Amino acid sequence: MTPARPRDPAAAPGPAPEGRPSGRPSTPAPARAGGQADAPASPKPAAPASTPHRSGPGNGPGPGPGSGGAQQPSAERRSGARADGYRPPARVLAPLRESGRLFALAVTVARDMFRRPFQLREFIEQFWFVASVTILPAALVSIPFGAVIALQVGSLTQQLGAQSFTGGASVLAVIQQASPLIVALLIAGAGGSAICADLGSRKIREELDAMEVMGVSPIQRLVVPRVLATMLVAVLLNGMVSVVGTLGGYFFNVIMQDGTPGAYLASFSALAQLPDLWISEIKALIFGFLAGIVAAHRGLNPRGGPKGVGDAVNQSVVITFLLLFFVNMVLTAIYLQIVPAKGA
């Protein structure tokens, strides 16, 4: 090991009594071996030389004498806080933290919708993709859904002696509740899962990081067109599902339960009003926004490589379903409090 040169010029006359010439003060080997003259000066040059190599970032604190200064206590303090202070509340605060990130992404997307340039080509491609994977399942699901509602409501009204109100009750149930939920569930299950998988694969391939390095916002470039596409598809599909579900309920009520077509239409016109259609479209718009935001959020934050992308897809669908039913309950309660029933 090469002996270090003393920095303090006052330490140079130290080895002079041992008979060495004063012209070479940088040979303190005998003095270091004896531990008499250079013992206080030897740790000073050794500490700066060993500290950066033994306690660098990512290597952990070194066991040498140079790593116990300012970096080893900070590393221990961080590890101790994670092991003792943050692990127990992390199980409780993790859902709140994820909810905050989801809300922050929603605010960012809503703000970037009005920024330029608008990605029109990406929006059209995503709109066509989401519509192509959801329009046929939505039509096929709406027919039996409307039929089940019509049959159940018709059976109940027959027991109560109010069969003439079957049309109004079944149509209102389809328009206000069934149609927005059907559309949102299909968009979240078919379109949202594809959006989450696409963004997640881009994330693990570091494409999103490369876009940020080039100064391109992934939120504005990729997330905003997809969220707008899910919102527009949800609004348009909601109208189609409402019409198809109403026709299915009309057919099963008139054909299978021997209902009167005139009574079906008369009860519908007597109970339904225009705000019922507005709340249905508002629900579809909000549900489409939630489906797109949740899918984008889970796609932008996968964990564990390719397997994490699959887990993120499953989580996005489950989280969207839970949010949809909760938001639907809140919107329905607000609507029933604000808008009075027709004829009340």
Side-chain angles (χ1 to χ4, degrees):
M1 181 176 181
T2 304
R5 289 177 296 181
R7 295 185 178 181
D8 192 1
E18 298 185 11
R20 296 186 179 274
S22 59
R24 298 183 60 185
S26 61
T27 57
R32 288 173 61 92
Q36 297 178 359
D38 289 344
S42 58
K44 294 183 179 179
S50 59
T51 300
H53 296 285
R54 294 191 178 183
S55 61
N59 295 328
S67 60
Q71 296 188 8
Q72 185 177 359
S74 62
E76 291 179 353
R77 191 181 301 114
R78 289 195 300 268
S79 61
R82 287 181 181 175
D84 301 331
Y86 284 106
R87 280 185 180 177
R91 301 187 184 97
V92 180
L93 298 179
L96 297 178
R97 189 178 296 110
E98 290 296 325
S99 301
R101 293 172 182 171
L102 180 65
F103 182 77
L105 178 62
V107 173
T108 304
V109 171
R111 181 190 61 195
D112 290 347
M113 285 180 182
F114 305 97
R115 294 181 59 184
R116 297 294 180 268
F118 181 72
Q119 305 297 328
L120 181 60
R121 181 176 179 179
E122 186 76 15
F123 168 73
I124 295 175
E125 291 178 356
Q126 295 301 318
F127 171 82
W128 177 252
F129 169 74
V130 176
S132 63
V133 299
T134 55
I135 185 171
L136 183 59
L140 295 178
V141 170
S142 61
I143 296 175
F145 212 97
V148 167
I149 292 178
L151 293 176
Q152 187 67 36
V153 173
S155 176
L156 182 61
T157 54
Q158 282 182 356
Q159 297 176 8
L160 298 176
Q163 190 176 3
S164 59
F165 293 99
T166 302
S170 60
V171 170
L172 286 180
V174 169
I175 292 179
Q176 288 189 12
Q177 305 298 329
S179 179
L181 285 177
I182 290 174
V183 170
L185 294 179
L186 289 175
I187 288 179
S193 59
I195 291 174
C196 181
D198 179 34
L199 294 177
S201 61
R202 290 173 184 264
K203 180 66 176 180
I204 64 174
R205 291 196 303 262
E206 298 182 354
E207 294 182 13
L208 303 182
D209 298 334
M211 294 176 63
E212 293 179 353
V213 170
M214 293 186 296
V216 179
S217 174
I219 304 297
Q220 185 183 8
R221 179 65 177 80
L222 299 176
V223 177
V224 171
R226 285 163 171 78
V227 174
L228 288 176
T230 57
M231 294 171 63
L232 184 58
V233 171
V235 172
L236 297 180
L237 280 183
N238 181 66
M240 186 199 72
V241 171
S242 299
V243 172
V244 176
T246 301
L247 293 178
Y250 173 83
F251 175 80
F252 279 89
N253 178 257
V254 173
I255 299 300
M256 299 187 64
Q257 292 183 330
D258 298 329
T260 305
Y264 192 94
L265 298 177
S267 62
F268 170 68
S269 61
L271 297 178
Q273 52 185 341
L274 187 60
D276 298 330
L277 181 60
W278 288 120
I279 188 61
S280 178
E281 294 294 338
I282 291 174
K283 282 183 178 182
L285 186 69
I286 295 176
F287 292 167
F289 179 78
L290 288 177
I293 288 295
V294 174
H297 172 68
R298 296 309 307 151
L300 293 175
N301 300 281
R303 297 188 182 95
K307 183 181 181 299
V309 176
D311 296 339
V313 171
N314 297 333
Q315 293 172 6
S316 69
V317 175
V318 174
I319 293 173
T320 304
F321 284 10
L322 296 177
L323 285 178
L324 289 179
F325 287 106
F326 177 75
V327 174
N328 179 61
M329 179 193 67
V330 174
L331 292 178
T332 302
I334 294 176
Y335 173 76
L336 293 178
Q337 293 294 327
I338 293 178
V339 181
K342 189 174 182 180

